[in-house]
Amino acid sequence: MKHGFPRAACLAILAVLLVSAGAGPTKAQNDAADAADATTAPRELTVGLYVSPPFVIKKDDRYTGMAIDLWDELADRLHLQASYVEMETYRELVNATASGEVDVAVTNLTITRSRVERIDFTHPWFDAGLRIMVSNERRAGFRGLIAGLNQSGHLRAYAWIALVIVAATILVTVFDRHFDKEFPRSWRDGIAESFYAVMSITTSGKSPSRKNLFGWIGRIWQGLWLICGIAVLAYVTSSVTSVMTTLSLTSQINSVADLPGRPVAVFSGSVAEEYARQAGLDARSYAHIDEAAEALVDGRVAAIIGDAPVLEYFAHDNPDRPVAVVGAIFEPDKYGFGLSRHSALTRPLTVELVGAHRSGLIEEIRTRYFGESP
């Protein structure tokens, strides 16, 4: 009896230790396991892409670009494998990420409040903003010239001049048929001869060789005709020149302040489209920059609003296109990789992106496509 209690106590303690050893992992162990799983799973990912050079470039069914190069580096470090799915617009890409159709959105995807409400974003990896692209061949077309002449009242004056020319042609024909025996007898030939004489005076200020039927009075009359012709020619030339100059000045676009009242191209689902709508601009949506640039060169839009690096790269990579990027950057923003809400990959990707910033990896990739920073 003396040793019974200590022996029983020892057995009880041993039983408790054995039960504890057989129990599940602690909370700390669970957290560590979850972190390890988040780093490696899921190993097979569906990555949504939106082609937007130089961030995502498609050539011969292969994808390259700054965003692709950066993603490949991060995926390799996290032991992730991915299959790419191309989306037609930014809007489709964001929708697919929000619905879980794709695991990660890779392109120059701007971090905005409306998007953050639907999807997760990694740490930003590129600073950008909006700029404007215009055509170098924005000249006053024929329609613009006619509209300008009409608005300034010159077309009405031209109509009166045309009426005077017709009346003068008829009067000269009647006059010459009566007094000049060598004048063509046919009305058709006579009117043609008189019209030529009147238009010669009107357009060049010079009178064709004509008989002087009335001596000094006839010469004075011909001189007055020359003065009238020179005045008409000067008026037409000056009016057209002034209207074209006005159209040229008013068609110049140097900043976002010059865009109201003009049709502008934006990319569907982009921050540029959102900005244009909020600013009350006449926005026309296009899926890709090639389509928008074609509309710009054709004169269907006056400018393109888009991400500055995308527009700058396009202008540099297409020297045969008569386009130029103008104005300073406005609406500065940042790019990040998008993920579905509460994705286990958000934190690991963010950690790797911070490391890529510090190691200079992102700057190295940026230099491949944009060159050395000035």
Side-chain angles (χ1 to χ4, degrees):
M1 295 298 296
K2 182 178 180 180
H3 302 288
F5 177 77
R7 182 178 302 171
C10 290
L11 291 174
I13 292 172
L14 180 60
V16 170
L17 292 175
L18 289 174
V19 170
S20 299
T26 65
K27 181 177 185 301
Q29 291 172 326
N30 283 331
D31 291 344
D34 289 344
D37 291 341
T39 306
T40 57
R43 298 189 63 85
E44 293 289 341
L45 299 176
T46 301
V47 176
L49 303 179
Y50 170 72
V51 175
S52 180
F55 297 98
V56 177
I57 303 171
K58 183 179 182 180
K59 186 175 182 180
D60 299 330
D61 293 328
R62 294 184 64 255
Y63 297 102
T64 59
M66 183 178 177
I68 295 294
D69 291 355
L70 179 58
W71 166 255
D72 286 343
E73 289 283 350
L74 301 182
D76 184 62
R77 294 181 182 188
L78 295 175
H79 310 290
L80 303 173
Q81 297 179 357
S83 58
Y84 293 138
V85 177
E86 183 181 338
M87 300 293 169
E88 190 64 21
T89 65
Y90 286 107
R91 183 177 291 106
E92 290 183 12
L93 179 59
V94 173
N95 290 340
T97 306
S99 66
E101 181 181 343
V102 300
D103 299 299
V104 187
V106 174
T107 188
N108 55 314
L109 192 63
T110 301
I111 302 173
T112 66
R113 179 172 180 173
S114 60
R115 289 174 178 172
V116 169
E117 292 175 349
R118 302 183 62 203
I119 63 176
D120 286 348
F121 276 96
T122 63
H123 182 76
W125 54 270
F126 196 92
D127 292 336
L130 301 180
R131 284 191 76 185
I132 299 169
M133 177 181 284
V134 298
S135 173
N136 286 333
E137 294 186 344
R138 289 202 58 78
R139 302 187 181 96
F142 180 74
R143 291 184 179 179
L145 176 60
I146 296 299
L149 290 171
N150 183 44
Q151 292 175 359
S152 58
H154 293 306
L155 279 187
R156 180 175 298 179
Y158 292 171
W160 280 107
I161 291 174
L163 183 61
V164 170
I165 289 174
V166 171
T169 299
I170 296 174
L171 290 175
V172 170
T173 302
V174 173
F175 184 86
D176 284 349
R177 278 176 60 87
H178 183 75
F179 292 100
D180 187 359
K181 299 188 180 301
E182 296 181 3
F183 191 78
R185 295 294 95 188
S186 168
W187 277 100
R188 182 185 61 185
D189 295 338
I191 288 177
E193 186 71 22
S194 299
F195 180 74
Y196 172 76
V198 172
M199 290 305 298
S200 295
I201 297 173
T202 303
T203 58
S204 65
K206 297 179 180 179
S207 175
S209 300
R210 291 174 57 82
K211 287 184 178 181
N212 181 15
L213 302 176
F214 299 98
W216 63 271
I217 296 177
R219 286 302 182 189
I220 292 177
W221 178 252
Q222 290 178 359
L224 292 175
W225 265 107
L226 290 176
I227 294 174
C228 292
I230 293 173
V232 170
L233 179 63
Y235 168 71
V236 173
T237 303
S238 63
S239 60
V240 171
T241 301
S242 64
V243 169
M244 292 187 67
T245 301
T246 302
L247 289 174
S248 178
L249 291 174
T250 56
S251 66
Q252 290 181 356
I253 296 176
N254 298 305
S255 69
V256 69
D258 300 320
L259 296 180
R262 308 170 187 272
V264 296
V266 294
F267 305 124
S268 300
S270 67
V271 293
E273 182 181 53
E274 183 178 350
Y275 169 84
R277 305 293 186 197
Q278 292 177 351
L281 300 177
D282 180 10
R284 315 283 176 86
S285 297
Y286 295 88
H288 296 283
I289 190 170
D290 287 325
E291 302 169 13
E294 183 178 349
L296 177 64
V297 174
D298 291 345
R300 284 176 280 152
V301 296
I304 300 174
I305 303 177
D307 289 359
V310 174
L311 299 184
E312 292 163 1
Y313 183 84
F314 181 87
H316 175 75
D317 199 47
N318 295 271
D320 56 319
R321 299 280 188 100
V323 296
V325 182
V326 299
I329 289 179
F330 58 99
E331 296 293 312
D333 52 33
K334 297 178 182 294
Y335 300 154
F337 292 135
L339 303 99
S340 53
R341 293 297 299 272
H342 311 301
S343 171
L345 285 171
T346 303
R347 177 177 170 78
L349 284 173
T350 292
V351 171
E352 292 297 334
L353 279 171
V354 172
H357 271 293
R358 292 182 176 179
S359 67
L361 172 63
I362 292 181
E363 179 61 23
E364 176 188 333
I365 297 176
R366 190 202 70 81
T367 303
R368 298 176 194 169
Y369 296 92
F370 294 97
E372 297 289 343
S373 299

